[in-house]
Amino acid sequence: GGFGVELKLTTTPPFIGIGVRGEIHIGDGLLGGSMALSVDPANYDKSILVIDSPEGIDLPRLINAFLSTTGIPGLDFLDDLLDVHLTDLLLYFAPNGGTIAGKTYDPGISIGATLDLWGFHAHLFGSVSPTTGLLLQGQADRIYIAVGGIVLFQFSDVRGDCGPRMDVAATLSRQGIFYSGRLKLLGNMYDSYQELSVDRSGL
């Protein structure tokens, strides 16, 4: 998939920098995509790390692969606890841009992914800044539970058609996972805009 390697002589130990780009696929869909990595010991601010993986990471299969080799009993609960799938993964870290084996990477830092958390999905995209931190924004699945035509629970956007807004923040002013949208309970008994946050203090 367009594999390329670049070696650079530097003036600082270990006196050599390396850049590599290409495609990697492990375990039949377990982990894969295109990847680029460049490290220059003389100019760490020109480092590059780019991962573009539509198939993403199948965390349960990855955990199972490691657990099967340990033989430790009682760890099966991790299968359900870590039922997290990550697809459409894009990690782009090139603060000052650069080239690897003839391919140019523009300056920028960003991250995006589609998360599957215990059957619920969210597509997130955002940026990482050395000064402000991490901020991802997107939309999650609508959560809808109805019995006999009566809505017992619904968490959605304001219109009720799509899912709530989802933010993942790790900044100086805010840390956690935040869901915001319209919450309906027991038909029309409760219908209001709410924010659900998951942070260090809990839910």
Side-chain angles (χ1 to χ4, degrees):
F3 180 76
V5 176
E6 181 177 81
L7 299 177
K8 307 174 184 178
L9 296 177
T10 68
T11 57
T12 57
F15 305 109
I16 190 170
I18 186 170
V20 61
R21 60 173 175 79
E23 293 189 11
I24 180 171
H25 298 273
I26 301 173
D28 188 24
L30 181 66
L31 171 65
S34 62
M35 179 178 174
L37 174 66
S38 177
V39 179
D40 184 347
N43 298 284
Y44 281 111
D45 60 336
K46 294 184 178 179
S47 296
I48 297 173
L49 174 61
V50 177
I51 299 175
D52 186 356
S53 175
E55 60 196 70
I57 301 172
D58 189 334
L59 191 56
R61 285 184 60 203
L62 188 61
I63 294 295
N64 269 327
F66 282 102
L67 291 181
S68 63
T69 63
T70 65
I72 301 175
L75 295 181
D76 295 340
F77 77 96
L78 289 175
D79 291 351
D80 297 325
L81 182 64
L82 298 175
D83 190 9
V84 179
H85 304 262
L86 194 66
T87 57
D88 301 318
L89 174 64
L90 173 62
L91 174 62
Y92 192 96
F93 180 83
N96 295 291
T99 61
I100 302 177
K103 184 173 181 178
T104 301
Y105 294 87
D106 295 328
I109 303 176
S110 60
I111 184 171
T114 297
L115 305 179
D116 180 347
L117 307 173
W118 306 284
F120 295 100
H121 303 83
H123 183 72
L124 301 171
F125 187 81
S127 60
V128 184
S129 168
T131 55
T132 59
L134 168 71
L135 182 61
L136 306 179
Q137 298 177 326
Q139 193 170 44
D141 279 350
R142 184 182 69 149
I143 303 175
Y144 180 83
I145 302 173
V147 176
I150 299 176
V151 177
L152 298 181
F153 182 93
Q154 177 178 294
F155 197 27
S156 64
D157 63 351
V158 175
R159 294 179 303 172
D161 300 327
C162 301
R165 176 186 174 90
M166 181 178 178
D167 297 327
V168 177
T171 66
L172 293 176
S173 59
R174 202 179 197 208
Q175 303 88 35
I177 302 174
F178 304 91
Y179 293 88
S180 54
R182 181 182 179 185
L183 177 63
K184 290 183 66 175
L185 299 173
L186 302 176
N188 292 319
M189 184 173 293
Y190 183 88
D191 188 346
S192 179
Y193 183 88
Q194 291 290 336
E195 181 178 81
L196 172 68
S197 64
V198 183
D199 53 28
R200 291 179 181 177
S201 59
L203 182 63

